[in-house]
Amino acid sequence: MKLHTLFAAVLFATMGTAFAQNATSQDGVKIGGNSLLSKFAPVGALENQAATQYAQTMQQAEKQHALGPDNHPQVLRLRAIANKLIPYSLKWNERAKQWKWEINLLGSKQINAYCMPGGKIAFYSGILDTLKLTDDEVAIVMGHEIAHALREHGAERAVKSSAANLFVKGVEIFAGAKGYDPNIAGSIAGGAANMTMLKFSRDNETEADIVGLDIAARAGYDPRAGVALWQKMGMVNKGAPPQWLSTHPAGQNRIAEIRRHLPEVMPLYAKAKALSLNGIAPYRTNVKGIDPVTYP
Ligand SMILES: [Zn+2]
């Protein structure tokens, strides 16, 4: 790596942390604003690109009779859960109020789910069936995926991957102060082409986990389902193509991280359910071999 490209990468990486905005809420999880990196990305262009790609995917799926029809019980279920989560998502991103949210079910054995920039959500039937997800567990997965979109992790990733490129081109983004060079919008948006298959950084994964917990808890879904969900992931049959697992490594540290944030999100859940914290029964999932999850 050339020295100046290294410099650019370090500079960008540092700015993302140093200029993070203040936390956006009083209760719930404490996290700074979106990475400044995403402010250099053409977020609107990425959202448009995502909308186009999403529409194409759904059209193709429909041709192959792999798109869940509007009256399918699982489609109704996914949309009902999304409708509860979305109102609690909006405070995390100003733009999200304008998003045209879409929630679809794809008939595929893959264990996968995503939310593209702009609120375009897809669940594969494989993740629902193979993992026998409860509503709480669906909400945890969906909250996690929505959080990636709200926190503009896709935009951040696009800028990181083009940061060196930007520097070499001598882009005056710092002098310009207003944002990004429209000339590179195309190349960054182009990077969105396979955005659902790409991996996020470990930090982004942790952030999506805890923001997702906050959203799910406020919507009345049990955050402790996150612990059971990741235990299920760990047990998953190797015969199924584990797409989501390849981009979301399961592990004890992910479960530990979720447990660490329960003190922040369990009061939100209790409030949503109009229960006292001590009056909440342990979370029980629907498969053998996973112990009830207790808190406190
Ligand atoms: Zn993720």
Side-chain angles (χ1 to χ4, degrees):
M1 187 186 269
K2 286 181 193 162
L3 189 59
H4 57 250
T5 57
L6 178 65
F7 170 70
V10 169
L11 183 63
F12 272 76
T14 312
M15 290 183 73
T17 329
F19 296 107
Q21 293 157 357
N22 292 327
T24 49
S25 64
Q26 298 301 311
D27 55 2
V29 301
K30 306 285 182 287
I31 278 191
N34 285 3
S35 164
L36 201 71
L37 286 179
S38 64
K39 302 210 184 321
F40 290 108
V43 174
L46 271 176
E47 288 174 6
N48 290 340
Q49 179 87 14
T52 304
Q53 194 191 330
Y54 184 83
Q56 285 169 353
T57 304
M58 297 310 139
Q59 276 166 18
Q60 280 169 11
E62 193 165 26
K63 269 187 209 158
Q64 295 161 14
H65 305 288
L67 181 67
D70 288 339
N71 61 356
H72 190 285
Q74 293 283 36
V75 174
L76 294 171
R77 179 183 177 222
L78 289 171
R79 288 178 183 167
I81 294 170
N83 285 339
K84 286 197 191 173
L85 297 179
I86 288 167
Y88 299 101
S89 303
L90 305 183
K91 70 163 183 169
W92 292 98
N93 187 317
E94 267 300 305
R95 299 177 61 87
K97 295 182 185 77
Q98 321 300 333
W99 286 357
K100 294 187 177 66
W101 295 82
E102 285 187 69
I103 302 96
N104 279 296
L105 173 69
L106 297 171
S108 162
K109 285 205 162 67
Q110 281 196 22
I111 294 172
N112 200 12
Y114 57 78
C115 178
M116 296 170 86
K120 307 297 189 193
I121 299 170
F123 268 66
Y124 290 56
S125 54
I127 196 168
L128 298 176
D129 299 341
T130 308
L131 297 180
K132 297 185 172 53
L133 296 183
T134 65
D135 284 3
D136 291 301
E137 290 156 8
V138 168
I140 299 294
V141 172
M142 198 182 281
H144 174 102
E145 292 304 317
I146 287 176
H148 276 311
L150 293 169
R151 302 289 294 174
E152 296 173 347
H153 290 160
E156 186 182 332
R157 182 177 56 197
V159 172
K160 270 181 189 160
S161 66
S162 63
N165 192 21
L166 278 173
F167 191 87
V168 171
K169 281 185 180 170
V171 176
E172 284 99 352
I173 45 176
F174 302 108
K178 274 282 184 282
Y180 67 95
D181 177 356
N183 297 320
I184 54 103
S187 69
I188 291 184
N194 273 315
M195 59 178 90
T196 63
M197 308 293 283
L198 297 170
K199 216 170 166 164
F200 291 112
S201 71
R202 201 186 190 88
D203 284 354
N204 285 356
E205 282 305 320
T206 302
E207 196 174 286
D209 277 345
I210 62 180
V211 170
L213 287 181
D214 184 289
I215 293 168
R218 287 175 200 273
Y221 293 106
D222 194 332
R224 296 171 300 179
V227 174
L229 168 74
W230 285 103
Q231 287 174 321
K232 279 187 177 178
M233 291 279 184
M235 291 164 72
V236 84
N237 186 336
K238 297 284 184 282
Q243 176 58 40
W244 210 66
L245 281 175
S246 74
T247 51
H248 291 84
Q252 289 309 312
N253 43 6
R254 199 185 273 264
I255 291 173
E257 188 74 29
I258 289 172
R259 283 192 192 276
R260 195 153 50 240
H261 287 277
L262 289 181
E264 292 152 53
V265 293
M266 282 303 285
L268 303 176
Y269 173 62
K271 197 174 158 193
K273 299 300 254 186
L275 290 168
S276 79
L277 253 189
N278 292 318
I280 299 178
Y283 177 77
R284 291 173 201 280
T285 189
N286 53 358
V287 300
K288 282 183 186 158
I290 297 178
D291 292 335
V293 189
T294 54
Y295 181 89

